[in-house]
């Protein structure tokens, strides 16, 4: 479907997964196929690499094509077969791009409904993929990015089970992260748990609990008010549960991820700079959560 100006509507944009042949990226393919099935959208699998930089890019039976390009096409073909085996009803397309994966995936995010990546990559150079490609993309993505964490393959559908947890930040009212969490939970048929963490510096530094009681009460009250604002104007039929928790937001959300199906956090634009402000909380959960993490761009 297209709007009157001929532009493709967001609801028609595919789910995109970045692949590189590693086990984590194949789990990302599984998750992306499930997402595409839930949304009734096609799945686009993208491999991006500057293969001319690799040593030994000799001929592979074809004098016009370097061996890395041949291998890349094999990687996307195997990923496509895996996606089809998992979700036969999802239409799958593939693309091999001779460029840096960070740039290619950020560009892909402009025309995707959701972008899905694995938590790590292939080989020694990619051992720190979360700190390079995934974190770079997370800081510049134009659509929700899901980073698939965990080390075990899951049967079709199991990756979409378990409640959706969303971290409520300072930008509470009209939060894109909260809206995304609610929509995702409705597709999966699971509840949403909205979590607002709060800390009281005086509470930590005061030895006598009675002396810290009033500041702690005020912090707890402010957290509750922020949570209420975040859940206002959401669909009446959404199964929502909200709670405030004392503790560092990163620790609170990582703890909540242990029995969740998805953890959602927001990222805000950096004024005067390109990209998003992930902050310590998003960095921490991307590295340590026990379930897939969705990073959702918030409006500036």
């Amino acid at each position: 479907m297209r709007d009157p100006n001929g532009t493709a509507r967001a609801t028609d944009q595919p789910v995109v997964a970045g692949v590189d042949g590693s086990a984590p990226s194949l789990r990302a393919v599984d998750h992306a196929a499930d997402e595409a099935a839930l949304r009734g959208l096609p799945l686009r699998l993208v491999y991006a690499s500057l293969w001319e930089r690799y040593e030994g890019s000799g001929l592979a039976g074809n004098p016009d094509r370097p061996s890395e390009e041949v291998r890349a096409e094999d990687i996307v073909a195997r990923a496509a077969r895996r996606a089809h085996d998992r979700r036969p009803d999802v239409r799958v397309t593939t693309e091999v791009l001779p460029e840096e994966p960070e740039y290619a995936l950020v560009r892909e995010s402009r025309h995707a409904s959701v972008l899905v990546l694995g938590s790590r990559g292939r080989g020694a150079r990619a051992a720190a993929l979360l700190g390079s490609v995934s974190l770079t993309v997370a800081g510049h993505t134009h659509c929700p990015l899901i980073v698939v964490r965990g080390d075990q393959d899951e049967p079709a559908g199991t990756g979409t089970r378990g409640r959706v947890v969303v971290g409520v930040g300072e930008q509470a009212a009209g939060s894109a992260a909260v809206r995304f969490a609610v929509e995702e939970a409705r597709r999966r048929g699971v509840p949403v748990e909205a979590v607002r963490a709060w800390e009281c510096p005086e509470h930590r530094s005061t030895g006598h609990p009675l002396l810290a009681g009033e500041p702690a009460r005020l912090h707890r009250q402010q957290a509750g008010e922020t949570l209420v604002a975040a859940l206002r104007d959401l669909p009446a039929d959404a199964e929502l549960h909200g709670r405030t928790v004392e503790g560092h937001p990163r620790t609170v959300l990582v703890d909540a991820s242990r029995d969740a199906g998805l953890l959602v956090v927001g990222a805000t634009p950096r004024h005067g700079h390109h990209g998003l402000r992930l902050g310590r909380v998003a960095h921490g959960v991307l590295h340590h959560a026990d379930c897939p993490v969705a990073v959702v761009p918030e409006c500036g």
Side-chain angles (χ1 to χ4, degrees):
M1 297 288 293
R2 293 181 177 271
D3 64 21
N5 297 320
T7 302
R9 295 178 182 174
T11 53
D12 296 324
Q13 294 174 336
V15 173
V16 176
V19 300
D20 64 6
S22 66
S25 87
L26 292 177
R27 286 189 285 275
V29 169
D30 291 343
H31 191 99
D34 290 343
E35 284 287 340
L38 284 173
R39 296 164 179 267
L41 294 174
L43 172 61
R44 175 174 165 84
L45 304 176
V46 176
Y47 177 98
S49 173
L50 287 176
W51 52 70
E52 63 269 23
R53 289 186 178 180
Y54 285 76
E55 295 182 1
S57 60
L59 304 180
N62 186 331
D64 300 320
R65 301 173 66 203
S67 60
E68 179 70 13
E69 181 180 358
V70 174
R71 192 179 64 80
E73 292 181 351
D74 179 64
I75 285 173
V76 296
R78 286 190 290 114
R81 289 194 297 270
R82 182 177 177 117
H84 178 75
D85 289 344
R86 186 177 183 89
R87 295 290 188 177
D89 55 329
V90 171
R91 181 168 64 87
V92 180
T93 60
T94 64
E95 185 82 25
V96 174
L97 301 172
E99 58 184 305
E100 291 284 6
E102 296 93 334
Y103 302 134
L105 293 169
V106 169
R107 188 181 64 250
E108 289 287 329
S109 75
R110 290 182 177 273
H111 310 289
S113 60
V114 177
L115 178 62
V116 184
L117 299 178
S119 59
R120 294 186 304 278
R122 169 178 46 81
R125 175 181 177 273
L129 179 64
L130 184 58
S132 57
V133 174
S134 293
L135 280 179
T136 298
V137 175
H140 294 82
T141 184
H142 298 277
C143 72
L145 165 68
I146 297 178
V147 176
V148 179
R149 296 192 50 80
D151 297 322
Q152 301 299 321
D153 294 331
E154 294 179 327
T158 59
T160 61
R161 296 176 185 169
R163 77 196 191 289
V164 174
V165 174
V166 57
V168 175
E170 296 297 332
Q171 186 173 335
S175 167
V178 173
R179 291 197 305 272
F180 176 86
V182 170
E183 292 167 1
E184 191 73 7
R186 293 178 72 181
R187 292 187 185 99
R188 298 172 180 221
V190 299
V192 176
E193 181 180 47
V195 179
R196 172 64 178 173
W198 61 275
E199 292 184 286
C200 180
E202 295 87 348
H203 199 181
R204 292 198 305 267
S205 61
T206 303
H208 199 293
L210 293 179
L211 297 179
E214 182 62 16
R217 186 188 66 79
L218 292 176
H219 281 278
R220 186 184 301 109
Q221 178 180 328
Q222 291 172 353
E225 292 171 352
T226 301
L227 185 62
V228 169
L231 303 184
R232 188 178 297 131
D233 300 326
L234 293 174
D237 61 344
E239 186 178 354
L240 290 168
H241 306 281
R243 65 186 177 105
T244 61
V245 183
E246 182 179 9
H248 191 282
R250 180 177 62 245
T251 302
V252 168
L253 292 176
V254 169
D255 288 345
S257 75
R258 291 188 178 130
D259 56 354
L262 181 69
L263 173 61
V264 183
V265 294
T268 57
R270 292 180 292 180
H271 297 293
H273 298 81
H274 295 293
L276 303 169
R277 182 184 293 109
L278 292 181
R280 295 180 180 179
V281 175
H283 275 263
V285 299
L286 282 169
H287 281 285
H288 300 293
D290 289 331
C291 70
V293 176
V295 176
V296 180
E298 299 282 4
C299 296

